[in-house]
Amino acid sequence: MRQHEAQTRTVMLVDLPLVYRLCDNGIILDSEVAYTRSANGPHGAILSHMILPQRNLHTLISRSDKQGVVGQFRLKPDDHLAQIMTVAPALTDEDADYTVWLHILDAMAAAAGQTGAQMLAGEIDERSPLFTVMRRAGFAVYARQEIWRREPEPLPDPVTPAELTEETDADAMDIQLLYSNIVPRLVQPIAVPSSDSEGYVYRQDGRVQGYIAVSEGRYGVYLMPFLHPDILFNEASAIIAGAIARQPKAEKQPVYVCVRRYQDWLEDGLARLGFTPISQQAVMVRHIAAGVRHPFFTPVVRSLEAIPGPAQPPTNRISD
């Protein structure tokens, strides 16, 4: 890999011609955006930061020699997490010079840290050449997930949709308890549903046993289920069917379900509803910042003057 000096900065109006050329060949690292509203294209989210800066979108560009790469991330509502939306163009060859892609990843991490985010995350297919580059840039795999797709068609007759209710403020405690019981602690900071989603609650004997976050867009409906393991397979199918039945757009658009590895027992129920797997992804995270204590240090000169004799080397005793 050749070493080049790269210039990285926030996208400006003068960069629009380059952005227009690159964005159609980008790779989306936010599955919710990818399957509901494409981030690429001349009217995609990568350009919306120019017009709608209040949406917490940040777009950067990195140039090295004749190469140019655009990267965009958005801040999640809880502020500690930043989500990469797209990198354009997509890296197509692992043997290519990927220096400029490293620069854009580092730049997004730095920019996210300046906004107060502690982690930068992206969802990517492990077969993508960018997966290797992200690992070199300090990203680690926190979880794995599979995306399932269902074409717009009536629900199968044997499945009766379960009764779901819309999420209310009174459900917050119960949903949080369900979330903490089924999501591994390592994954909890990054598995929070998008603020753009609507929540539906499933109760069993008065207890919240299921929660499904639903996002809609121009190109599809995206579901992220959180179902307690005590739920039976048939019940799981009915709960997901209940969420689909409440979405009018599901009659004309495909429905996607994101299944994290800790919920892979849902796969049989999804197959029963006519879903098929279309993508296996890794959820990659780079830690940006951590809490740092600032102790008070005595000036070194005064400390040395206070020592009455030569300093003794430390012993090997554990008590010392």
Side-chain angles (χ1 to χ4, degrees):
M1 183 180 65
R2 303 188 306 272
Q3 298 295 327
H4 303 294
E5 293 184 0
Q7 296 181 349
T8 305
R9 55 177 170 76
T10 302
V11 166
M12 298 185 296
L13 292 178
V14 69
D15 302 311
L16 279 178
L18 177 60
V19 173
Y20 270 105
R21 291 197 302 269
L22 297 179
C23 63
D24 282 333
N25 299 318
I27 179 172
I28 304 174
L29 285 81
D30 187 329
S31 293
E32 178 199 355
V33 172
Y35 296 112
T36 59
R37 51 190 191 281
S38 175
N40 290 336
H43 302 290
I46 197 169
L47 298 179
S48 63
H49 175 60
M50 309 281 188
I51 306 171
L52 300 173
Q54 70 274 15
R55 297 180 64 180
N56 289 329
L57 296 175
H58 299 262
T59 309
L60 305 173
I61 186 169
S62 184
R63 292 188 177 188
S64 177
D65 289 347
K66 297 182 180 180
Q67 289 181 318
V69 176
V70 176
Q72 185 180 80
F73 68 91
R74 64 171 174 168
L75 293 177
K76 293 288 188 173
D78 47 16
D79 293 334
H80 76 274
L81 178 65
Q83 174 75 38
I84 300 176
M85 291 187 64
T86 185
V87 175
L91 186 63
T92 57
D93 186 358
E94 290 185 359
D95 296 327
D97 179 11
Y98 50 78
T99 305
V100 69
W101 280 267
L102 286 173
H103 280 289
I104 198 66
L105 291 171
D106 285 340
M108 284 192 288
Q114 292 173 358
T115 63
Q118 299 177 8
M119 292 181 288
L120 180 64
E123 301 164 320
I124 186 169
D125 192 313
E126 292 187 4
R127 297 169 296 181
S128 170
L130 188 60
F131 173 80
T132 303
V133 177
M134 292 180 69
R135 298 193 69 169
R136 291 183 178 273
F139 288 80
V141 177
Y142 263 48
R144 285 180 169 82
Q145 64 189 28
E146 193 167 35
I147 306 298
W148 290 63
R149 175 186 170 118
R150 183 181 187 274
E151 297 299 332
E153 58 186 7
L155 292 168
D157 292 333
V159 179
T160 301
E163 181 179 352
L164 306 180
T165 59
E166 293 186 14
E167 174 189 5
T168 64
D169 293 339
D171 299 321
M173 295 279 295
D174 293 332
I175 294 173
Q176 181 62 37
L177 180 61
L178 173 69
Y179 181 82
S180 60
N181 284 336
I182 64 177
V183 180
R185 185 177 297 273
L186 179 68
V187 187
Q188 287 180 10
I190 62 170
V192 180
S194 169
S195 60
D196 297 329
S197 63
E198 297 179 348
Y200 295 94
V201 175
Y202 172 74
R203 289 180 175 84
Q204 191 176 65
D205 298 329
R207 296 186 303 170
V208 174
Q209 294 289 82
Y211 175 80
I212 298 183
V214 181
S215 301
E216 291 184 343
R218 181 179 180 182
Y219 300 103
V221 180
Y222 185 83
L223 309 182
M224 181 172 287
F226 298 89
L227 303 185
H228 197 281
D230 285 343
I231 293 176
L232 303 177
F233 289 102
N234 292 341
E235 291 175 324
S237 299
I239 295 170
I240 295 174
I244 296 174
R246 297 181 68 99
Q247 308 306 314
K249 289 186 177 182
E251 298 178 358
K252 300 179 180 180
Q253 298 175 341
V255 179
Y256 302 90
V257 177
C258 174
V259 180
R260 295 268 165 83
R261 184 66 56 87
Y262 50 85
Q263 293 255 270
D264 58 2
W265 61 276
L266 298 176
E267 294 178 356
D268 289 342
L270 291 174
R272 185 184 181 196
L273 291 173
F275 283 88
T276 56
I278 61 171
S279 177
Q280 292 182 336
Q281 301 175 339
V283 182
M284 305 193 73
V285 176
R286 173 170 168 174
H287 282 267
I288 302 171
V292 179
R293 297 180 179 178
H294 298 281
F296 175 77
F297 292 101
T298 304
V300 177
V301 176
R302 293 185 180 180
S303 299
L304 293 177
E305 291 176 352
I307 299 177
Q312 299 294 326
T315 64
N316 290 328
R317 293 174 57 192
I318 297 178
S319 60
D320 292 337

